[in-house]
């Protein structure tokens, strides 16, 4: 079982590190749909939406300046693979912790 888990973890890390380089920080499908009817215009304060669309009055996410924002570490697009590996490790640790904490206990540990 330990061998399986080790191989599984290595495959997950390899896929996360490799596939993360294909992640795109440009608007995805949801962003594109919410921006229909608007045009992106450059202003002195940055980009602005003009027109009538759902996204016209939106703002940045509270964690937009976070260390893993836009699929990169510290905003550096060269480190998208590292961000993918960090995300995979955090996910595996959270899932493993939940699995370990919620597992059935045998014998004297039962209530």
């Amino acid at each position: 079982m330990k061998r399986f888990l080790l191989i599984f973890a290595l495959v997950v890390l390899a896929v996360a590190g490799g596939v993360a380089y294909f992640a795109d920080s440009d608007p995805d499908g949801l962003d594109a749909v919410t921006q229909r009817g608007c045009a992106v215009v450059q202003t002195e304060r940055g980009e602005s939406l003009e027109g009538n669309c759902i996204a016209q009055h939106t703002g940045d996410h509270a964690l937009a300046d976070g260390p893993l924002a836009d699929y990169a570490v510290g905003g550096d697009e060269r480190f998208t693979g590292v961000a993918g590996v960090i995300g995979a490790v955090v996910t595996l640790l959270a899932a493993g912790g939940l699995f370990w904490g919620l597992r059935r206990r045998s014998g004297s540990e039962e209530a």
Side-chain angles (χ1 to χ4, degrees):
M1 183 65 163
K2 288 182 183 182
R3 184 176 182 203
F4 168 77
L5 291 176
L6 178 64
I7 292 171
F8 177 76
L10 291 174
V11 169
V12 167
L13 294 177
V15 169
V19 172
Y21 282 103
F22 296 105
D24 192 0
S25 61
D26 290 334
D28 60 11
L30 180 60
D31 288 338
V33 169
T34 60
Q35 292 177 5
R36 283 187 187 157
C38 285
V40 178
V41 178
Q42 287 292 342
T43 65
E44 294 175 3
R45 294 182 284 167
E47 291 182 347
S48 176
L49 291 173
E50 290 187 359
N52 187 16
C53 63
I54 297 171
Q56 191 170 17
H57 302 290
T58 62
D60 282 338
H61 188 275
L63 299 175
D65 294 329
L68 298 176
D70 291 332
Y71 306 107
V73 175
D76 192 342
E77 292 183 10
R78 296 176 295 173
F79 297 118
T80 55
V82 175
V85 168
I86 291 171
V89 167
V90 169
T91 302
L92 287 173
L93 289 174
L98 282 171
F99 180 77
W100 183 78
L102 298 174
R103 74 186 191 283
R104 286 188 184 202
R105 292 178 171 74
S106 61
S108 62
E109 295 181 29
E110 290 184 20

